[in-house]
Amino acid sequence: MDKFRMIFQFFQSNQESFMNGICGIMALASTQMYSAFDFNCPCLPHYNLAYGLGILLVPPFILFLLGFVLNNNISMLAEEWRRPQGQRGKDPAVLRYMFCSMAQRAMIAPAVWVSVTLLDGKCITCAFCTSVPLDTLGNASHPQLSQGEVQRVLARIPCKEIYTGQQLIANEVAVRYLRCISQALGWCFVLLMTTLAFLVRSLRPCFSQAAFLKSRYWSHYIDIERKLFDETCAEHARSFAKVCIQQFFEGMSKDLVAARCHLPRKAPADAGEAAEKLLGITDWGTMNMALKSWHRCKPPLHLHPPALSTGNGWAGEGQPPKHPSAPRRETAAYYSWV
């Protein structure tokens, strides 16, 4: 149990670990789905190819889309791509990095499905059973069957219980021939995917490491900024609701007092703390304006230095001047480079 807890904590450590765990679970789920899937070839000349290729290609496409749906960054990518320019520019390199990162993770489960399907060989056997070379594997000069009848007989190769063309070609020979081709394609596909993954992992830092680090940093920044914004909005909503409820009950208590119902009234201890968390946003319209402003013109990624003294007071709260004010008049000029 402790090991599962450690693994779960590792998945929750950051966004990439969480998504890697989700992709691993989807890859295992794809193998379990294929093993539990009841493969039934129609054994008809015009339907075998569609059924075999459909089982080979349609579930990977669904798993690919599902990998995008389960990825939390897809909404963040769409929001960053569609938002107005505002006070912060949009970097296409960051958007490309986010999309490529999601696409690479979403491709894991489809690649596992295609690999397992090709190595099993049932789909290729069903799809291409009518293309078995009779000249080399069977009796191509069978005088009693026309070309259409030969295609119907060959289409029944995956269905051993109804196959009646042993004089034309042995069922075991055709199945073994197609399965060998399918397994060869499967191992080639696995080798191709492994080689591509190796090249991406090993050669990418050699060419654009600085650009890769910048894109990765700002991608993480956008993710963290969104989480902090959601947490801040949730905290503000909680404080706003608490103050609204407190004001409602205070109004009700005043009405009861006015109606000569003397009730014990005790001021809540956290009323001031909840009011401070509102940060001056105390009505519905102002909050909507703040949310629209955040979407339309996010603040620029530039941290301003602390404000200097203005007039006879200090802009910073709780920051007294370093030197006591002298009785004589002095004129000071401040120069700051921003």
Side-chain angles (χ1 to χ4, degrees), residues 87-295:
Q87 299 181 7
R88 182 189 302 180
K90 293 185 289 187
D91 191 356
V94 177
L95 300 179
R96 286 194 301 268
Y97 170 81
M98 295 169 61
F99 179 78
C100 294
S101 179
M102 288 187 293
Q104 290 174 8
R105 291 182 174 88
M107 283 293 296
I108 296 177
V112 172
W113 177 277
V114 174
S115 302
V116 173
T117 304
L118 290 177
L119 291 175
D120 185 54
K122 293 180 182 178
C123 290
I124 298 299
T125 302
C126 179
F128 299 100
C129 57
T130 56
S131 302
V132 175
L134 296 177
D135 298 336
T136 57
L137 299 178
N139 185 11
S141 60
H142 201 282
Q144 300 178 355
L145 298 177
S146 63
Q147 187 66 23
E149 293 176 346
V150 170
Q151 293 295 317
R152 283 194 294 271
V153 171
L154 293 179
R156 297 177 181 177
I157 289 177
C159 306
K160 188 176 181 180
E161 61 277 2
I162 62 174
Y163 181 68
T164 58
Q166 294 292 341
Q167 298 84 5
L168 190 64
I169 184 175
N171 181 272
E172 294 79 4
V173 174
V175 171
R176 180 168 296 184
Y177 171 78
L178 294 173
R179 184 166 294 178
C180 290
I181 295 177
S182 179
Q183 291 178 352
L185 293 175
W187 286 115
C188 291
F189 180 79
V190 172
L191 179 61
L192 178 63
M193 292 293 103
T194 306
T195 305
L196 288 178
F198 170 76
L199 292 177
V200 170
R201 288 288 186 177
S202 60
L203 298 181
R204 181 174 57 183
C206 299
F207 295 97
S208 58
Q209 179 66 8
F212 171 73
L213 290 177
K214 290 189 294 184
S215 302
R216 184 176 182 179
Y217 175 85
W218 291 116
S219 174
H220 291 175
Y221 173 83
I222 294 174
D223 182 34
I224 295 173
E225 184 186 50
R226 185 186 184 189
K227 291 180 180 178
L228 292 177
F229 183 77
D230 292 340
E231 293 175 0
T232 305
C233 289
E235 184 179 359
H236 184 276
R238 182 179 180 86
S239 302
F240 191 85
K242 183 181 294 185
V243 173
C244 285
I245 293 172
Q246 289 171 355
Q247 290 180 356
F248 169 75
F249 279 100
E250 287 177 359
M252 290 296 297
S253 64
K254 291 179 181 179
D255 294 340
L256 293 175
V257 170
R260 298 179 181 179
C261 297
H262 300 283
L263 299 176
R265 180 168 175 264
K266 183 178 180 181
D270 56 347
E273 181 181 355
E276 290 179 358
K277 292 182 179 179
L278 295 178
L279 301 176
I281 304 177
T282 56
D283 62 282
W284 179 79
T286 308
M287 189 63 204
N288 287 340
M289 186 182 302
L291 295 175
K292 291 179 181 178
S293 177
W294 175 264
H295 172 70

